[in-house]
Amino acid sequence: MTPDRDRIAERLAAVGYVADRDLATALWLMDFLKRPLLLEGEAGVGKTEVAKALAAVHQAELIRLQCYEGLDQNAALYEWNYQRQLLAIKAHEGAGASADAIEEHIFSEKYLLERPLLAAIRRDKPPVLLVDEVDRADEEFEAFLLELLSDFQVSIPELGTVTARSIPRVVLTSNGTRELSDALRRRCLYHYVDFPDVEREARIVTTRLPHIDEALAQQVARMVAALRKEDLRKVPGVAETLDWAATLAGLEVHDLRQAPEAVHETLICLLKTHEDRARLSREVTDRLLGKVA
Amino acid sequence: MSPAAMSEPVATIGANLRRRLAGFTRTLRDNGFAVGLAETRDALAILASPAGARPALLMPALRTLFCADHSDWQRFAEIFAAFWRGRGVRRMQPAASMPSRRRPSLQHLAQSAAVPAAPRPQDPVESGDGEAGDEMADRREHATAASTAERLAAADLRHIVDVREIAQTHALAERLAHRMRARLVRREQARRRGRRIDLRRTIHRSVSHGGTPIDLAWRRRKVKPLRLVVLLDGSGSMELYTAFFVRFLHGVVDAFRESEAFVFHTRLAHVSASLRDRDVARAVDRLSLMAQGMGGGTRIGECLAAFNRWHAKRVITSRTAVMIVSDGYDTGAPERLADEMRRLRRRCRRIIWLNPLIGWRDYAPEARGMQAALPYVDLFAPAHNLASLAALEPYLARI
């Protein structure tokens, strides 16, 4: 395996993700060391996209586990299909089966519902497992996840131990709403995803919106970069940039300087709170436009 | 990585490079990175791989391997350059986080001297009496302890001057924080018991009844306990109370698993980490020095702004109560304070403002800062003695 990160970056670009070189290195390392990758960064920098792109590059299935407060093993690992179990009990009762036989029957593979974590280790071809916003889950769940990530096996009391058929590529993302445990951090490789620089953001825009003017993409990227330096409550992410660029293209704007009116009106694509909207008055927008265009 | 693949790179790397790598990991550890054996082994594997031959690739690869959080990430490039380009910086910790233990104040020296003298629970082995005697002595001890505790709880903290009593008050404050937490949790558990049916276990049990769910299993919903963020005013005007509240803070951080503590006067300092020190005396000592500050005025508005901007996103969730302990004497503009209070109010569940001055007779919240902040405060309560702190508990339970 060669650490040709340019090639990795190319392959990512081919599936629509414009990666910086360091991220390409991290993704190579993830395969090389077979360790999970923890991505941190502000909301909206495209952390989740990394996993999607990775799945596309490897043509693997993407299995996503969205974490939330109170997420438990039933929702993350497996659950029994109760309706079917009840039916089966009734059906077997009529046939006069013994309680032991019924129990054995209803706690078999047939009645097991896979949830993301179990699904991820029971695939023949290694999938990409995305554990999204792991910081939102409880600490207990984090500990459980850690155990799974080191052994890649799970025990189901009624059924026995399930060992991984293939080791999934694991990507975890965190927004930093809670401090993650040191153990989990140690287990993972780490990459901090920053907002893309102007150059890369322009390339993201042109990759995702192939019909847009090169020059407009540059201007949009510069404008958004300038906006991010303002003191905003909610800093616009990459998705917002794309929305805005698409809107401008739809309004047939080719040069931001020519259409300050349209720029000011379409800023709602980028600014998502009333406070930020009020802060960016017409004068401020014009000043920023003067600087970037 | 399989063991076979693991051992191969180790063999191909020269002893010299291995020594350098060991030096590098030591430097990282000195700088507060959590680097274990597994990381070192993986680093060797990277060095032996084609990436090892390309310096441009090596830095990002090692950074991804060794870093565990954003602050590591930001410092890594500098440490890497310093080490591998031979400038050999050993330690780059900010001066602020160094424990400054050189000038403990008179007051604290007095306190630490008093700690061993404080009454200890009697040791039954050493006392040597019969069992009955033990029990009597025990009871007597408890009784005196209880009445002393009562008296101390009611006394205004300004009026406690005896070093022994100060030490006891501080211990009480700490215990109070612990007890608060324990009760809050228990109440929550009792309230939530048996809300939903646990289907998985019910089905299991129903097999013996032929599938009729007679014996229901209930699932207890686990509720995240209340998070507490405490902002303590360490300015000159609060001087008489800070030492005591620092002790209370220590108890809070220790007892509430999810809590954060900040101290502010002219600027804001995040102190949870220093408070998590196991050694109570050292933690409190260090913090008291920080809290004593420069003796300048308080800029509550600006400190809150700093909190809102840098910390709020991380430490505040929808289950967070913010407790501000301050007398409200603000040297900044009241409008600023009002602005920031409004912002904070929107983020958290409750704002509790504890003001030691309320306990004084004839006090009215006339300080301009206090006036500006009041509309956003959910509970404005006195905190001049232990009893007033204990009275907070039922309120916290309802949040």
Side-chain angles (χ1 to χ4, degrees):
Chain A
M1 196 179 345
T2 53
D4 198 344
R5 59 175 177 179
D6 297 334
R7 213 165 57 82
I8 295 176
E10 261 167 40
R11 285 169 67 189
L12 284 171
V15 297
Y17 187 88
V18 184
D20 64 11
R21 296 162 65 85
D22 290 353
L23 179 62
T25 310
L27 291 178
W28 164 73
L29 210 56
M30 195 180 151
D31 265 358
F32 180 64
L33 296 174
K34 300 266 184 271
R35 284 217 209 183
L37 176 66
L38 171 64
L39 297 174
E40 271 193 330
E42 302 249 346
V45 292
K47 298 183 292 285
T48 307
E49 290 302 311
V50 174
K52 289 186 186 164
L54 193 67
V57 162
H58 293 289
Q59 288 166 343
E61 186 187 355
L62 175 70
I63 297 175
R64 178 173 178 165
L65 175 66
Q66 172 68 47
C67 295
Y68 52 86
E69 227 179 284
L71 173 69
D72 56 7
Q73 296 195 13
N74 297 2
L77 193 60
Y78 70 96
E79 185 65 293
W80 293 103
N81 191 340
Y82 301 115
Q83 286 86 347
R84 292 193 63 186
Q85 281 181 329
L86 282 172
L87 276 176
I89 293 173
K90 286 286 170 213
H92 281 78
E93 216 176 32
S98 73
D100 278 350
I102 297 179
E103 180 156 354
E104 185 137 329
H105 179 72
I106 64 168
F107 288 111
S108 63
E109 191 86 9
K110 204 172 140 193
Y111 298 90
L112 190 69
L113 294 175
E114 275 182 350
R115 297 285 188 241
L117 291 182
L118 186 63
I121 62 168
R122 298 218 305 172
R123 294 286 182 268
D124 291 323
K125 186 177 190 299
V128 173
L129 171 64
L130 168 64
V131 183
D132 218 357
E133 305 189 341
V134 63
D135 51 333
R136 284 184 197 278
D138 311 315
E139 277 147 27
E140 293 80 5
F141 182 77
E142 196 182 305
F144 163 73
L145 191 64
L146 194 68
E147 196 186 311
L148 181 78
L149 290 184
S150 52
D151 299 343
F152 288 105
Q153 66 174 30
V154 167
S155 83
I156 299 176
E158 300 89 348
L159 209 62
T161 304
V162 178
T163 316
R165 285 190 203 143
S166 60
I167 305 291
R169 294 186 173 86
V170 185
V171 177
L172 301 99
T173 73
S174 160
N175 280 329
T177 58
R178 174 173 67 80
E179 201 43 54
L180 296 176
S181 74
D182 284 351
L184 187 69
R185 286 185 182 280
R186 294 249 339 251
R187 183 78 205 107
C188 298
L189 298 170
Y190 179 86
H191 184 82
Y192 187 81
V193 187
D194 227 329
F195 282 113
D197 54 20
V198 173
E199 195 54 41
R200 192 154 75 85
E201 191 148 28
R203 263 182 31 234
I204 293 172
V205 172
T206 48
T207 312
R208 288 296 181 90
L209 308 167
H211 301 301
I212 206 167
D213 283 358
E214 193 79 32
L216 180 63
Q218 276 288 340
Q219 281 184 335
V220 165
R222 274 206 299 272
M223 183 71 185
V224 173
L227 267 179
R228 286 192 187 125
K229 291 204 187 88
E230 294 289 308
D231 184 20
L232 295 179
R233 262 190 70 200
K234 163 99 186 49
V235 182
V238 179
E240 275 96 358
T241 312
L242 287 171
D243 283 350
W244 193 45
T247 311
L248 289 172
L251 290 172
E252 295 181 354
V253 174
H254 297 290
D255 186 346
L256 294 188
R257 268 169 306 183
Q258 306 293 321
E261 204 62 47
V263 169
H264 189 66
E265 274 159 21
T266 53
L267 278 183
I268 43 169
C269 299
L270 298 172
L271 306 173
K272 302 288 176 71
T273 70
H274 177 63
E275 216 172 285
D276 291 349
R277 193 83 187 94
R279 185 185 288 267
L280 272 248
S281 61
R282 187 64 202 266
E283 290 77 43
V284 180
T285 324
D286 286 347
R287 179 172 56 80
L288 288 177
L289 259 184
K291 264 198 282 185
V292 301
Chain B
M1 180 122 294
S2 69
M6 228 42 268
S7 58
E8 184 200 357
V10 180
T12 56
I13 291 179
N16 201 16
L17 187 55
R18 254 189 283 174
R19 239 192 331 270
R20 287 282 283 162
L21 183 69
F24 183 55
T25 53
R26 203 162 48 236
T27 311
L28 285 178
R29 267 184 224 123
D30 285 350
N31 281 286
F33 283 65
V35 180
L37 275 180
E39 280 76 24
T40 315
R41 208 177 49 199
D42 284 348
L44 277 174
I46 292 174
L47 283 175
S49 79
R54 292 173 51 184
L57 233 158
L58 198 58
M59 199 290 279
L62 289 181
R63 179 169 64 179
T64 294
L65 177 67
F66 284 130
C67 289
D69 60 25
H70 192 204
S71 72
D72 287 357
W73 183 263
Q74 284 169 323
R75 291 188 312 162
F76 188 86
E78 202 182 336
I79 297 172
F80 183 87
F83 186 86
W84 293 99
R85 308 218 175 109
R87 272 179 277 140
V89 175
R90 290 292 300 170
R91 196 186 177 92
M92 290 187 284
Q93 263 182 8
S97 69
M98 300 281 285
S100 48
R101 295 174 38 72
R102 225 169 299 153
R103 350 166 248 126
S105 65
L106 249 186
Q107 196 189 354
H108 288 104
L109 284 180
Q111 269 173 34
S112 41
V115 169
R120 285 190 207 136
Q122 199 157 350
D123 193 333
V125 181
E126 275 179 26
S127 60
D129 289 341
E131 248 175 57
D134 262 3
E135 211 174 289
M136 283 299 286
D138 242 22
R139 214 177 289 158
R140 221 170 22 243
E141 176 106 357
H142 281 170
T144 27
S147 66
T148 320
E150 239 165 62
R151 190 168 52 73
L152 284 177
D156 191 309
L157 298 164
R158 280 174 301 158
H159 304 317
I160 302 176
V161 281
D162 179 41
V163 276
R164 256 179 77 142
E165 288 191 343
I166 288 176
Q168 281 180 41
T169 322
H170 289 175
L172 269 177
E174 196 148 355
R175 221 171 333 150
L176 181 69
H178 278 266
R179 219 170 42 205
M180 231 183 223
R181 152 85 185 175
R183 283 211 200 132
L184 289 177
V185 169
R186 218 174 305 145
R187 200 171 301 187
E188 197 59 43
Q189 280 173 353
R191 193 150 52 112
R192 301 277 174 174
R193 185 160 299 149
R195 267 279 177 84
R196 286 159 66 200
I197 291 179
D198 185 339
L199 264 181
R200 190 179 282 188
R201 276 167 45 219
T202 304
I203 294 278
H204 232 311
R205 290 185 198 173
S206 72
V207 171
S208 54
H209 306 298
T212 317
I214 293 170
D215 191 6
L216 296 184
W218 295 94
R219 174 186 297 170
R220 239 177 270 174
R221 206 173 107 202
K222 253 197 74 181
V223 176
K224 279 207 130 179
L226 181 74
R227 288 180 69 132
L228 200 55
V229 171
V230 188
L231 299 164
L232 172 64
D233 185 343
S235 63
S237 56
M238 287 280 292
E239 205 179 2
L240 291 163
Y241 297 99
T242 12
F244 161 75
F245 277 113
V246 163
R247 240 357 231 270
F248 180 65
L249 269 192
H250 186 269
V252 164
V253 169
D254 208 30
F256 286 73
R257 197 154 48 136
E258 294 188 19
S259 61
E260 298 286 340
F262 296 82
V263 170
F264 65 94
H265 30 88
T266 48
R267 57 184 183 78
L268 182 79
H270 186 195
V271 295
S272 309
S274 352
L275 279 176
R276 293 223 163 83
D277 198 328
R278 291 257 164 69
D279 184 342
V280 185
R282 194 170 57 195
V284 170
D285 208 36
R286 191 187 298 170
L287 202 71
S288 300
L289 285 172
M290 274 159 105
Q292 275 165 11
M294 324 303 166
T298 337
R299 278 188 294 218
I300 309 181
E302 269 164 53
C303 290
L304 274 185
F307 176 77
N308 281 335
R309 182 150 175 69
W310 302 111
H311 301 283
K313 207 188 297 177
R314 191 173 50 81
V315 301
I316 290 187
T317 69
S318 56
R319 283 201 57 77
T320 306
V322 176
M323 187 190 276
I324 300 173
V325 186
S326 167
D327 53 13
Y329 285 120
D330 185 10
T331 52
E335 298 79 39
R336 180 83 195 267
L337 177 59
D339 258 11
E340 296 302 334
M341 283 296 287
R342 190 173 56 238
R343 240 174 238 174
L344 183 62
R345 185 65 199 83
R346 254 198 323 239
R347 274 181 183 272
C348 66
R349 197 171 182 97
R350 292 281 185 274
I351 296 184
I352 304 162
W353 190 303
L354 299 183
N355 190 333
L357 302 189
I358 303 183
W360 296 15
R361 260 195 302 157
D362 306 330
Y363 169 79
E366 269 160 10
R368 285 185 315 149
M370 205 58 251
Q371 284 288 353
L374 268 183
Y376 307 103
V377 173
D378 297 291
L379 177 72
F380 185 53
H384 61 295
N385 59 20
L386 285 168
S388 59
L389 271 184
L392 275 180
E393 193 192 297
Y395 179 78
L396 286 177
R398 268 185 286 120
I399 293 180

